[in-house]
Amino acid sequence: MVDIAVEFGREVTPIGASDDAAAQHDGGSPLVGRTAELELLDTVIGGLGHGAPSFVDITGAAGIGKSRLMTEFCLRARRRGLTVLRGRAAEYERYLPFHPFADAFAELDHLPPPAHDLLDAMSRVIGGRAAGPSAGPVPATADRFDLHRSVARLMAQLGDGGGLMVALDDVHWADPASLELLDHLVRHPVPGPVVLVVARRDRQTPTALTTALSREAATGTVLRIGLTPLAERDCVEGLAPDLPRDRAARLYAAGEGNPLYFLSLLHAYREDAVRRRTTPAASAETDLGELPTGLGALLRSELAPLTPSQHRTLEVIAVLGDHAVPPMIRRVAGRTDAELDDDLDTLGRRDLVRPGPGGRTVLRHPVLRSLVHESTAGRRRVEIHRAAAAELARTAAPAVEQARHVERSVTTWDPQAYAVLKQAAEETASTAPTSSAHWLRAALRLLPDTPEHAPERRDLMLRRARALGVSGGLRESRDLLHEVIGTVGPDETDVRTSAVVLCALTERHLGRYPEAIALLRRESRRQPEPSPSDRVAIGLELSASAPHSASYAEMRSEVARTLADARELGNERGEAGALAVAAFGEAYEGDVTAASAYAAQAAGVLDGLPDGDLTALCEPLGRLAWAEAFLGRYTDAERHADRGLGIARRSGQIYLLPLLLLCKAHVRIQTCRLPSARELADEAEDIARGIGSGELLAFVLANKAQVCVAASAPGDPEALAAAEEAVAAMGPSDNWRASMAWCMLGYAALTGGDPHRARDALLKAGGDDLRGLQPSMRPLLMELLVTAALFTGDVPAASAWAERAGREAEQLGLPVQRASAMRSAAQLAQHQGDVGRAATLLSEAAAECARSGAVFWEARSLLLAAPAMTAAGFGERGEAMWKQGHRLATAGGAGLLLGLAELTRRPAPQPQPQPRTSSSSTVPPWLASLTAREREIAELAAEGLTNQAIATRLYLSPRTVETHLSRVFRKTDVATRAGLAALMARS
């Protein structure tokens, strides 16, 4: 009989086992069909670390062969010397955090100890060496996003030993924490020879993961393999070679090319032949209509011969899942060792169960487990879960392990069960908040809804709202907080204020500033009047709406009142919060004198407080840091941002990290430290996507676009893509963050060579009068408009904007803004042919930036000044300025400025042309101007390859190919592929 394990098998051979043993475990049969898919996978293995996709996405319907193909991929990887770790998500363990990763990393037990520090940091969270899932309590302040980076570092270290493959099956059932980690690994591929392979059912995969995989597939990072039904010849000849062709063809037609269905039909057909006491060859007359129809019926027919005790044992295994180890099965099923051995022996011979990793017993396929689980009577499932919970409690298993069984077996008030669920929520609050919210909901279901338990209920609801708020459930969090506000008692003022302030914060993250302001104002007018301390808390949150919705000018009186209340109470934290809001607001509006005074006062209070007193002041630290960054006080800004980051991480205030990370990134752009700025922006993006706030994500992506523009070569598509996504995420909003998103779109479009789009985006951000642009940065943004106008030939507009930039920069008195206005004036002077004035202005701009520490803008000013100085007759000085600008750009990793340096490089003296002879040849200047990548793409385009074909061959994204081709056309001065082909042929 052909072993049905050809499809059902899951390769669990220990690391280091031979290929023959693995193949035998998988049924001893070759993989049927899938030749094209295997060729693609071989290409991935051969190109690891050299441009091949770092993520393989295998999709298809249940039973189509995803697991079997993954098994073959793992075998081939092992033969090539790669370390292979394999795990699987499970349908009934969706709230066990990092379940498939814990399953995969458990195989590290078979390897020499790698990266002890990383394993120590991770083992209590996602398992691994001798740990298993949730091996111990997780620190309440753990940072799940730092955990993501730790996992990536561990994978990179494991890959250094000859390559690594992490293969995760059934990820459509993955828990939310694993999905978030996968999203991180998709967007930030692990460097080196590392590949992550997932198998999933496309229609059952959460939308967020599907979107991420589809997005990265377009860039070439992800290789997607969609499995379709097997061809009839492969199925019939490969899986049923001894069956009469017409019978096999009818089975194939009934199974519609799905190998799981085909093998199940084949199994039932042969079982029916045995019952008729015939040989398979003689069973050709058997009527196929007598076989069970439908996959469920086919699988149930396999279960029919089982005895009642064998059936009960199978039910216990299906319900227990990861806990289905023989001692647990025996205790839950109430069997002796001998009885259980007999049952497992029979179930194994019938290929219904198999040995799994970690000593577990598993059903041969998830479809079979689902069928057995769902057909188990509800009361019987409850009994199994209750017995499992009791056994896990007896052995002092982690609360998360117990909670899965407790929630499915306890339906009435039980203090012990309630305590387990609360503990599970605490253990997962920082690293898996979606799971934490799930356990809190289960605890709330158990807690009696009585006056006696009302305070405890509201506390749980607040905790659950916080968990939902940092895990993407902002709307559900808001609804829960409204429920708390509506039910809180008159004497629970602290609870009510906490709920109101948290609800307003949630409304902010949802971009609903009017609703947040209305809620807070209503609360401030409530009778009886809020206490002075509550007024301070409400006032601080109300002030936080500026300049996002209301202008800071509208909020000045509110800030002043809050500051007075805090000082009257002697509330240093409230005073520091109000001062930080005032510093930020005035710095944004461009009142440098007032902003400087408030910033100095805020720093005086905050710097004098110990870290323990600053837990509630991370957001004021962030606002102060941004104010100092706007004022050009980069050292102070970074110092306060760093302190806020440390406290926010330790206290688990994840939602504040982007504000602080992006402030550091902004400072590092100004001071020309672009590689670290990119890392900070990437981390902020991870957190924003995890929180699920479109408003926050737009702000993060706008800042990321600024980083990408500065760090990348001119025209790099990543910056434009980030800016476009920022604008899309912001939607129709017209607040400060929306304005910033449109400004960054204009910046990216201008450096990408589209001045018309740049001008339109900047005018969308600021309006025709530009009042929508941030006042303290308006001269810098006007410089972009001046550049765009000159490119498009609109000299009057460029002149008007340059003149206005000069006036406003003088009013501000900020060095970076003054330098920007000088560069705008220099552009006009050069356009009018006054290179001497242009050289003077640019030289002064460079000096202004140097005095303030704005190295990026200093380098830009120097590189622009160099050719103007040379043209004005000061060649040596121009050369020195170019060298200094180039040195600063190189040290800071500023790709944009390095591109500018290439454009402004003083041409080297050209040798006198020599007469050509028949044996000599010269490289055309246009060809010499192409980079190696541009020449490679030009040659492929000249051969007639499409952008997609070039992208596939070179492991690039189509957008990247398009960008390179645009540069090729510009450098060669041709407009069509035909012209390019002719030019290449002549050369």
Side-chain angles (χ1 to χ4, degrees):
M1 179 183 295
V2 174
D3 194 335
I4 203 168
V6 169
E7 163 57 27
F8 281 6
R10 175 175 184 268
E11 189 270 310
V12 292
T13 308
I15 294 175
S18 70
D19 297 339
D20 292 340
Q24 183 179 8
H25 176 84
D26 198 49
S29 301
L31 178 67
V32 173
R34 311 303 186 197
T35 302
E37 290 85 351
L38 286 173
E39 289 177 353
L40 285 173
L41 296 176
D42 284 339
T43 301
V44 170
I45 296 173
L48 277 188
H50 302 285
S54 58
F55 199 109
V56 177
D57 178 26
I58 303 173
T59 67
I64 203 66
K66 302 182 296 296
S67 298
R68 184 62 185 88
L69 181 63
M70 180 178 276
T71 293
E72 187 67 23
F73 195 14
C74 290
L75 288 173
R76 293 180 180 224
R78 280 210 179 96
R79 293 187 189 116
R80 300 283 287 270
L82 274 69
T83 296
V84 177
L85 305 178
R86 190 163 180 188
R88 167 170 256 149
E91 183 176 8
Y92 302 105
E93 286 79 33
R94 295 192 191 186
Y95 287 98
L96 286 180
F98 305 104
H99 180 264
F101 285 93
D103 195 20
F105 289 164
E107 296 195 9
L108 287 173
D109 293 338
H110 303 284
L111 293 175
H116 281 295
D117 55 331
L118 291 173
L119 281 176
D120 289 343
M122 292 162 44
S123 61
R124 286 181 293 171
V125 182
I126 61 174
R129 183 180 307 278
S134 303
V138 178
T141 58
D143 178 355
R144 73 189 199 263
F145 302 101
D146 186 57
L147 175 66
H148 298 167
R149 294 187 294 277
S150 294
V151 171
R153 289 196 298 272
L154 176 63
M155 291 171 62
Q157 289 189 21
L158 291 170
D160 286 343
L164 172 71
M165 175 187 293
V166 178
L168 305 178
D169 211 347
D170 292 329
V171 298
H172 51 277
W173 284 326
D175 59 276
S178 292
L179 292 173
E180 194 173 62
L181 175 52
L182 279 171
D183 179 75
H184 173 86
L185 295 172
V186 170
R187 288 184 294 104
H188 306 293
V190 179
V194 177
V195 62
L196 182 60
V197 187
V198 299
R200 62 189 179 90
R201 301 177 195 169
D202 205 6
R203 293 183 180 179
Q204 293 177 247
T205 304
T207 303
L209 180 59
T210 300
T211 301
L213 290 170
S214 299
R215 181 180 63 245
E216 297 304 323
T219 69
T221 301
V222 173
L223 170 64
R224 184 170 186 179
I225 298 178
L227 297 187
T228 56
L230 287 174
E232 179 178 334
R233 179 175 179 178
D234 289 333
C235 215
V236 170
E237 296 182 1
L239 300 179
D242 57 332
L243 206 66
R245 181 60 185 250
D246 61 331
R247 293 292 174 179
R250 292 178 65 187
L251 290 175
Y252 172 83
E256 298 179 338
N258 184 301
L260 170 59
Y261 205 168
F262 179 84
L263 288 165
S264 297
L265 285 165
L266 182 63
H267 179 79
Y269 176 80
R270 287 175 168 151
E271 287 290 319
D272 186 67
V274 171
R275 285 195 295 272
R276 292 169 178 267
R277 300 181 181 281
T278 63
T279 64
S283 66
E285 301 303 319
T286 301
D287 184 357
L288 289 179
E290 296 178 12
L291 294 175
T293 57
L295 182 56
L298 287 166
L299 296 176
R300 288 189 189 94
S301 70
E302 289 192 68
L303 307 180
L306 299 180
T307 66
S309 80
Q310 292 162 359
H311 202 280
R312 284 196 298 272
T313 298
L314 199 65
E315 290 176 339
V316 169
I317 295 170
V319 173
L320 287 180
D322 275 1
H323 295 138
V325 293
M328 178 70 84
I329 299 170
R330 176 174 56 78
R331 292 188 180 96
V332 172
R335 310 287 286 164
T336 66
D337 287 340
E339 290 170 337
L340 180 61
D341 287 344
D342 288 342
D343 285 351
L344 292 178
D345 185 57
T346 300
L347 295 173
R349 284 200 310 273
R350 299 191 66 84
D351 198 28
L352 293 170
V353 300
R354 294 178 178 170
R360 298 197 301 266
T361 300
V362 298
L363 277 78
R364 72 171 180 238
H365 194 278
V367 171
L368 182 59
R369 183 191 176 192
S370 179
L371 182 142
V372 173
H373 187 283
E374 296 306 314
S375 63
T376 302
R379 181 176 296 179
R380 172 69 175 149
R381 284 204 301 267
V382 169
E383 291 173 355
I384 295 171
H385 283 300
R386 183 180 294 119
E391 179 60 22
L392 289 169
R394 186 186 70 80
T395 58
V400 172
E401 296 293 309
Q402 298 181 52
R404 181 169 69 89
H405 299 289
V406 166
E407 72 158 329
R408 288 174 169 84
S409 61
V410 181
T411 56
T412 59
W413 173 236
D414 181 329
Q416 184 177 354
Y418 173 74
V420 168
L421 293 171
K422 277 188 63 178
Q423 182 63 30
E426 290 175 9
E427 289 181 6
T428 54
S430 57
T431 55
T434 302
S435 295
S436 181
H438 174 81
W439 303 129
L440 287 168
R441 182 175 61 182
L444 282 165
R445 282 200 300 264
L446 287 186
L447 189 67
D449 192 3
T450 62
E452 176 190 359
H453 293 96
E456 175 79 357
R457 173 171 290 277
R458 279 189 281 275
D459 177 64
L460 286 191
M461 292 169 73
L462 276 174
R463 290 171 57 187
R464 185 162 186 265
R466 291 190 184 96
L468 290 167
V470 298
S471 63
L474 289 169
R475 287 175 175 78
E476 190 177 355
S477 174
R478 180 193 61 199
D479 294 344
L480 196 57
L481 289 165
H482 278 295
E483 186 179 344
V484 174
I485 295 167
T487 60
V488 71
D491 58 338
E492 296 178 284
T493 55
D494 289 347
V495 174
R496 181 183 179 90
T497 300
S498 296
V500 167
V501 171
L502 183 57
C503 188
L505 173 65
T506 305
E507 296 281 23
R508 268 205 284 148
H509 279 308
L510 287 167
R512 294 161 53 95
Y513 289 99
E515 288 82 353
I517 293 172
L519 176 66
L520 292 163
R521 291 202 184 282
R522 177 176 175 269
E523 189 64 18
S524 65
R525 295 191 299 267
R526 180 176 55 83
Q527 296 298 326
E529 186 177 281
S531 68
S533 60
D534 286 347
R535 283 205 313 271
V536 170
I538 293 167
L540 287 175
E541 181 57 36
L542 187 59
S543 303
S545 62
H548 305 293
S549 179
S551 70
Y552 179 73
E554 297 175 57
M555 288 293 173
R556 276 195 180 97
S557 60
E558 188 69 49
V559 176
R561 185 163 48 250
T562 302
L563 179 58
D565 285 343
R567 284 174 168 167
E568 185 177 348
L569 287 171
N571 182 344
E572 283 189 304
R573 291 186 298 180
E575 180 185 3
L579 287 169
V581 168
F584 177 80
E586 299 293 3
Y588 174 87
E589 293 292 342
D591 189 335
V592 175
T593 302
S596 298
Y598 281 126
Q601 294 176 63
V605 177
L606 291 168
D607 290 348
L609 292 172
D611 283 1
D613 291 349
L614 290 177
T615 301
L617 290 174
C618 292
E619 191 164 16
L621 277 167
R623 289 200 182 100
L624 173 60
W626 271 105
E628 290 167 331
F630 291 156
L631 295 171
R633 300 177 181 177
Y634 302 126
T635 300
D636 288 337
E638 190 160 9
R639 175 170 60 87
H640 287 126
D642 274 330
R643 194 176 185 198
L645 280 169
I647 296 168
R649 290 191 197 281
R650 290 194 297 272
S651 58
Q653 299 181 76
I654 297 298
Y655 69 96
L656 292 176
L657 293 180
L659 173 75
L660 296 155
L661 289 165
L662 292 176
C663 181
K664 281 191 67 174
H666 177 80
V667 167
R668 293 189 176 189
I669 294 173
Q670 311 308 307
T671 55
C672 205
R673 292 175 285 168
L674 275 306
S676 61
R678 183 187 285 271
E679 292 174 3
L680 292 163
D682 284 343
E683 183 180 354
E685 181 187 1
D686 289 342
I687 297 169
R689 291 188 186 279
I691 290 174
S693 166
E695 172 94 1
L696 179 61
L697 179 61
F699 176 62
V700 169
L701 289 172
N703 279 274
K704 180 180 178 180
Q706 184 184 12
V707 174
C708 291
V709 167
S712 307
D716 188 282
E718 185 182 7
L720 189 61
E724 288 172 340
E725 189 179 354
V727 168
M730 185 57 70
S733 300
D734 59 356
N735 57 28
W736 168 50
R737 289 179 171 177
S739 173
M740 183 179 180
W742 281 102
C743 285
M744 291 307 105
L745 178 60
Y747 189 18
L750 186 61
T751 58
D754 192 343
H756 293 282
R757 189 181 187 189
R759 179 201 58 205
D760 293 346
L762 288 160
L763 292 178
K764 171 73 175 178
D768 291 338
D769 61 357
L770 303 185
R771 292 296 174 186
L773 301 181
Q774 180 176 335
S776 58
M777 293 185 68
R778 202 148 48 206
L780 189 60
L781 297 170
M782 286 181 186
E783 182 184 354
L784 302 178
L785 279 169
V786 171
T787 303
L790 290 175
F791 265 118
T792 57
D794 191 352
V795 179
S799 180
W801 283 325
E803 183 180 347
R804 180 176 171 184
R807 290 197 307 270
E808 295 197 16
E810 287 304 315
Q811 290 174 356
L812 289 169
L814 295 173
V816 169
Q817 304 304 318
R818 285 169 49 83
S820 177
M822 292 173 185
R823 288 194 298 272
S824 292
Q827 288 188 72
L828 279 173
Q830 282 186 304
H831 181 78
Q832 295 162 356
D834 190 347
V835 292
R837 174 170 166 73
T840 300
L841 286 167
L842 291 169
S843 179
E844 291 176 358
E848 192 85 11
C849 294
R851 283 192 294 271
S852 68
V855 178
F856 180 87
W857 300 111
E858 178 190 0
R860 178 173 175 80
S861 301
L862 287 168
L863 291 170
L864 290 171
M869 278 289 178
T870 301
F874 302 97
E876 288 187 7
R877 188 177 177 191
E879 180 70 14
M881 296 178 89
W882 186 91
K883 288 180 178 178
Q884 174 70 351
H886 185 268
R887 183 185 65 79
L888 294 175
T890 302
L896 178 68
L897 299 185
L898 291 174
L900 176 61
E902 288 301 311
L903 291 174
T904 58
R905 181 192 293 272
R906 184 178 181 182
Q910 296 296 317
Q912 293 299 317
Q914 299 295 323
R916 292 189 63 181
T917 66
S918 58
S919 60
S920 66
S921 63
T922 60
V923 178
W926 65 265
L927 188 58
S929 71
L930 299 183
T931 66
R933 177 65 85 182
E934 288 168 353
R935 185 167 182 173
E936 184 179 27
I937 290 174
E939 290 170 349
L940 293 174
E943 293 175 12
L945 272 69
T946 64
N947 285 6
Q948 182 61 60
I950 297 171
T952 300
R953 178 174 296 189
L954 300 181
Y955 292 114
L956 299 173
S957 71
R959 185 177 291 177
T960 299
V961 173
E962 182 180 349
T963 299
H964 282 301
L965 273 178
S966 297
R967 294 174 186 161
V968 169
F969 288 143
R970 185 169 63 250
K971 291 179 178 180
T972 58
D973 199 26
V974 296
T976 65
R977 286 173 179 260
L980 179 63
L983 194 63
M984 296 291 288
R986 289 197 301 271
S987 303

